[in-house]
């Protein structure tokens, strides 16, 4: 257990509130690879969090809005007393809890070329292993600095799917989908808005390809920032302040066939110079 005093800092953009560790957690916690989860207290308030690497052996830990409130942090530098220990047991448990997964026999280029948006679904439910495979595909997407800021809210409750479908004409297919996955970005993990969008988009496309590869069908439903639908999703799903919904994937067993189109466009390619 490490015990130290430090300051809570708000970065210049005002979007990231964090503490900087006065030691190299990779060395001190003997964890050279992978995410470092830590537990402890800040001024006696307990926390569980993931450290963010800043390069050069430096790590920070973000302080989310609810923790800021508990600490009475008002946006100015604040001295705090920290206890911190690695959450080794939990990490081992998390790894040993990797669920059973499905496989796809379709090659990646064929999957990319034959994927289409599917908006009609049968009533057949999605198996657990297929659902987990889709979720895992989102988790394997590239993300800026490997921060993995995405959260995935799985919706299988019919009333909730209907409510989300009825509140947005463009997402009406959610009402007939076996499942919806709300892909969200964590603003405390990735402070740059454009990177959150890019990271979530990469996750969504990975998941759509996986859905297609598994013989399912799905469609990307965009969630516009600050739209009424965005507000409704935040509200209905009780999303914390740091979590921003980016898209909902509606998917299920397909009840329509859509053919692949030829999308090669030579005019969009520029060699060496425009
Ligand atoms: C950012 C984004 C938002 C989208 N939002 C919706 C949507 O709200 N409703 C919908 O039916 N399709 C939506 N789509 C799917 C597109 O309509 C679809 O990908 C496009 O028409 C091309 O068809 P394809 O996916 O079959 O190749 C969205 C796609 C993207 C990339």
């Amino acid at each position: 257990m490490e015990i130290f005093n430090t300051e809570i800092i708000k970065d210049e953009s005002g979007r990231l509130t964090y503490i900087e560790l006065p030691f190299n957690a990779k060395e001190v916690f003997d964890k050279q690879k992978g995410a470092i989860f830590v537990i402890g207290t800040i001024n006696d308030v307990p926390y569980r969090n993931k450290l963010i690497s800043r390069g050069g052996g430096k790590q920070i830990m973000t302080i989310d809005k609810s923790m800021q409130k508990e600490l009475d942090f008002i946006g100015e530098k604040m001295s705090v007393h920290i206890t911190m220990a690695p959450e080794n047991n939990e990490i081992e448990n998390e790894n040993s809890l990797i669920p059973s997964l499905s496989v796809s026999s379709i090659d990646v280029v064929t999957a990319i070329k034959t994927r289409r948006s599917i908006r009609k679904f049968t009533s057949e439910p999605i198996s657990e292993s297929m659902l987990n495979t889709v979720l895992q595909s989102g988790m394997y997407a590239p993300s800026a600095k490997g921060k993995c800021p995405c959260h995935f809210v799985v919706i299988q409750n019919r009333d909730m799917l209907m409510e989300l479908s009825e509140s947005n004409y463009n997402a009406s297919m959610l009402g007939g989908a076996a499942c919806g996955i709300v892909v969200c970005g964590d603003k405390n993990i990735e402070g740059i808005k454009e990177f959150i969008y890019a990271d979530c988009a990469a996750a969504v496309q990975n998941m759509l390809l996986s859905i297609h590869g598994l013989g399912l069908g799905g469609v990307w439903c965009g969630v516009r920032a600050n739209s009424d639908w965005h507000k409704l999703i935040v509200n209905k799903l009780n999303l914390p302040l740091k979590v921003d919904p980016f898209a909902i994937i509606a998917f299920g067993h397909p009840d329509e066939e859509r053919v692949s189109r030829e999308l090669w466009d030579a005019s969009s390619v520029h060699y060496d110079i425009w």
Side-chain angles (χ1 to χ4, degrees):
M1 161 91 72
E2 297 301 307
I3 301 174
F4 56 96
N5 294 319
T6 186
E7 285 178 327
I8 299 182
I9 302 165
K10 215 177 182 59
D11 76 350
E12 279 173 14
S13 71
R15 282 190 291 229
L16 192 65
T17 301
Y18 63 96
I19 58 155
E20 195 169 303
L21 273 58
F23 54 88
N24 184 345
K26 286 187 180 178
E27 285 172 4
V28 173
F29 296 150
D30 195 20
K31 185 104 180 43
Q32 290 303 332
K33 274 190 185 168
I36 306 180
F37 288 88
V38 287
I39 49 171
T41 55
I42 305 178
N43 290 354
D44 293 328
V45 181
Y47 67 84
R48 173 188 187 269
N49 211 333
K50 187 169 135 184
L51 298 181
I52 297 172
S53 183
R54 276 286 167 96
K58 288 207 166 88
Q59 295 92 21
I60 62 166
M61 182 173 83
T62 56
I63 311 291
D64 69 19
K65 287 264 182 326
S66 57
M67 185 58 145
Q68 289 174 33
K69 211 170 162 193
E70 287 207 63
L71 294 169
D72 291 328
F73 175 73
I74 53 164
E76 286 160 17
K77 268 191 186 176
M78 176 183 171
S79 298
V80 279
H81 181 72
I82 312 263
T83 66
M84 182 179 286
E87 201 187 30
N88 292 329
N89 293 337
E90 187 120 349
I91 293 163
E92 273 159 30
N93 286 343
E94 276 181 10
N95 286 340
S96 67
L97 281 176
I98 291 171
S100 68
L101 300 162
S102 305
V103 289
S104 156
S105 55
I106 189 169
D107 77 87
V108 69
V109 176
T110 305
I112 288 168
K113 283 191 68 179
T114 56
R115 181 214 57 81
R116 295 298 312 270
S117 291
I118 296 296
R119 298 179 177 87
K120 291 189 182 132
F121 311 100
T122 70
S123 55
E124 192 180 337
I126 304 287
S127 72
E128 211 177 308
S129 74
M130 282 194 180
L131 171 60
N132 287 327
T133 306
V134 173
L135 289 166
Q136 191 196 42
S137 303
M139 296 172 198
Y140 269 72
S143 65
K145 293 193 180 163
K147 287 186 184 175
C148 303
C150 297
H151 292 272
F152 308 94
V153 184
V154 178
I155 304 175
Q156 289 172 308
N157 176 291
R158 292 247 57 87
D159 292 341
M160 183 65 91
L161 286 168
M162 278 316 290
E163 204 161 345
L164 292 174
S165 131
E166 283 165 1
S167 50
N168 178 358
Y169 170 77
N170 293 319
S172 55
M173 73 296 285
L174 264 170
C179 187
I181 298 180
V182 187
V183 179
C184 308
D186 189 323
K187 294 183 273 191
N188 277 5
I189 295 177
E190 175 55 73
I192 302 171
K193 199 165 58 183
E194 291 82 353
F195 285 176
I196 292 209
Y197 293 161
D199 294 347
C200 288
V204 171
Q205 178 62 359
N206 258 18
M207 293 161 87
L208 286 173
L209 286 174
S210 181
I211 286 166
H212 175 55
L214 294 170
L216 304 171
V219 59
W220 177 328
C221 303
V223 181
R224 290 183 61 182
N226 302 319
S227 61
D228 288 345
W229 204 46
H230 181 280
K231 285 176 199 146
L232 183 128
I233 294 165
V234 169
N235 188 11
K236 290 282 166 208
L237 304 184
N238 201 18
L239 299 182
L241 228 104
K242 63 175 184 174
V243 173
D244 208 11
F246 168 81
I248 304 186
I249 300 175
F251 70 107
H253 289 270
D255 200 16
E256 64 172 334
E257 261 183 50
R258 298 197 65 202
V259 290
S260 170
R261 301 148 301 165
E262 184 50 68
L263 292 176
W264 173 260
D265 174 10
S267 70
S268 66
V269 185
H270 311 271
Y271 295 96
D272 296 329
I273 192 163
W274 187 279

